[in-house]
Amino acid sequence: DTGVSQDPRHKITKRGQNVTFRCDPISEHNRLYWYRQTLGQGPEFLTYFQNEAQLEKSRLLSDRFSAERPKGSFSTLEIQRTEQGDSAMYLCASSNRGGEKLFFGSGTQLSVL
Amino acid sequence: GDSVTQMEGPVTLSEEAFLTINCTYTATGYPSLFWYVQYPGEGLQLLLKATKADDKGSNKGFEATYRKETTSFHLEKGSVQVSDSAVYFCALRSNTNAGKSTFGDGTTLTVKP
């Protein structure tokens, strides 16, 4: 069990650029989640997958955000035309089918200048 | 919608002091309740959970009891250590929406020797 890994750890970009983050879940977990966390707040749900199917998207996820999980393994989260308000920590988590316990990665810290 | 309200921090205690961090929730149905902890420089990890009313979750000397009548899940520890310094997040997962967990804003605990 190597845990949930996220790449990159930090990303600095200019407003208007596109960014993509990657998450590799624990291998036997079929559920994968994306959350966003800003300073002083708890994680906010963005979306989740069961295997390759994206089952729910938060209203927070504007049409500039897209997430994929091809083949039900790793996942990518893309933000197009980044805005300064997108600056946050993007967290990935995975769980088994029961989903009771979330295993979190260390996150990708995005800074939009 | 679902929501979690935590006691505001930061909380500063001396070693061996008693800890209580309050957490109340609003949810439809019968949620599962969780406490997650984030140690400095690390990702969130599950500390304890309770899945039904009157259940007590416990781990590493921490305890929390699921109180349906008061919609609360307060975290307690009888004698804190310096190593307990971290940010603590209360969370719920609704049984009507198994994919999404809702988190409180976190309470920062600092324990001084």
Side-chain angles (χ1 to χ4, degrees), chain A residues 9 31 33 35 37 40-45 48 56 91 97-106, chain B residues 32 34 36 38 41-46 49 51 89 93 97-106:
Chain A
R9 291 294 301 272
R31 288 190 173 183
Y33 311 78
Y35 283 81
Q37 185 177 19
Q41 297 198 335
E44 293 177 299
F45 172 81
Y48 94 99
E56 185 174 353
L91 300 172
R97 186 176 180 85
E100 281 288 310
K101 179 178 178 180
L102 298 180
F103 292 79
F104 281 88
S106 296
Chain B
S32 296
F34 307 84
Y36 283 82
Q38 186 170 29
E42 300 183 13
L44 281 85
Q45 55 187 278
L46 181 67
K49 69 175 185 180
T51 56
F89 293 91
R93 193 191 72 157
N97 184 351
K100 173 185 174 182
S101 293
T102 301
F103 288 78
D105 285 339

Side-chain angles (χ1 to χ4, degrees), chain A residues 6 29 32 39 41 43 46 49 52 63 65-66 74 77 81-82 89-90 94-96 104 106 110 112:
Chain A
Q6 293 188 245
H29 286 178
L32 185 148
L39 195 63
Q41 297 198 335
L46 294 179
F49 293 83
E52 65 275 10
D63 56 6
F65 288 70
S66 62
F74 71 92
L77 178 68
R81 306 180 302 280
T82 52
M89 176 74 81
Y90 289 83
S94 69
S95 72
N96 58 22
F104 281 88
S106 296
L110 173 66
V112 181

Side-chain angles (χ1 to χ4, degrees), chain A residues 3-108:
Chain A
V4 178
S5 61
Q6 293 188 245
D7 184 69
R9 291 294 301 272
H10 304 275
K11 178 70 177 179
I12 300 174
T13 191
K14 292 182 179 179
R15 188 176 53 187
Q17 297 294 306
N18 299 343
V19 294
T20 300
F21 311 140
R22 177 179 170 124
C23 171
D24 287 90
I26 293 172
S27 58
E28 63 267 27
H29 286 178
N30 61 355
R31 288 190 173 183
L32 185 148
Y33 311 78
W34 285 99
Y35 283 81
R36 180 172 66 189
Q37 185 177 19
T38 53
L39 195 63
Q41 297 198 335
E44 293 177 299
F45 172 81
L46 294 179
T47 189
Y48 94 99
F49 293 83
Q50 182 158 302
N51 299 314
E52 65 275 10
Q54 188 173 18
L55 296 186
E56 185 174 353
K57 292 172 59 174
S58 166
R59 288 184 299 243
L60 294 174
L61 216 62
S62 77
D63 56 6
R64 296 185 298 106
F65 288 70
S66 62
E68 295 182 342
R69 193 183 182 199
K71 303 179 183 178
S73 56
F74 71 92
S75 175
T76 58
L77 178 68
E78 181 182 17
I79 309 174
Q80 296 183 329
R81 306 180 302 280
T82 52
E83 301 172 356
Q84 288 185 326
D86 297 332
S87 296
M89 176 74 81
Y90 289 83
L91 300 172
C92 177
S94 69
S95 72
N96 58 22
R97 186 176 180 85
E100 281 288 310
K101 179 178 178 180
L102 298 180
F103 292 79
F104 281 88
S106 296
T108 294

Side-chain angles (χ1 to χ4, degrees), chain B residues 2-39:
Chain B
D2 297 344
S3 68
V4 175
T5 302
Q6 281 183 238
M7 181 173 92
E8 288 191 17
V11 174
T12 302
L13 296 174
S14 297
E15 207 164 20
E16 299 183 2
F18 183 84
L19 168 71
T20 299
I21 300 177
N22 291 338
C23 171
T24 57
Y25 68 89
T26 302
T28 53
Y30 303 96
S32 296
L33 303 174
F34 307 84
W35 278 99
Y36 283 82
V37 59
Q38 186 170 29
Y39 297 105

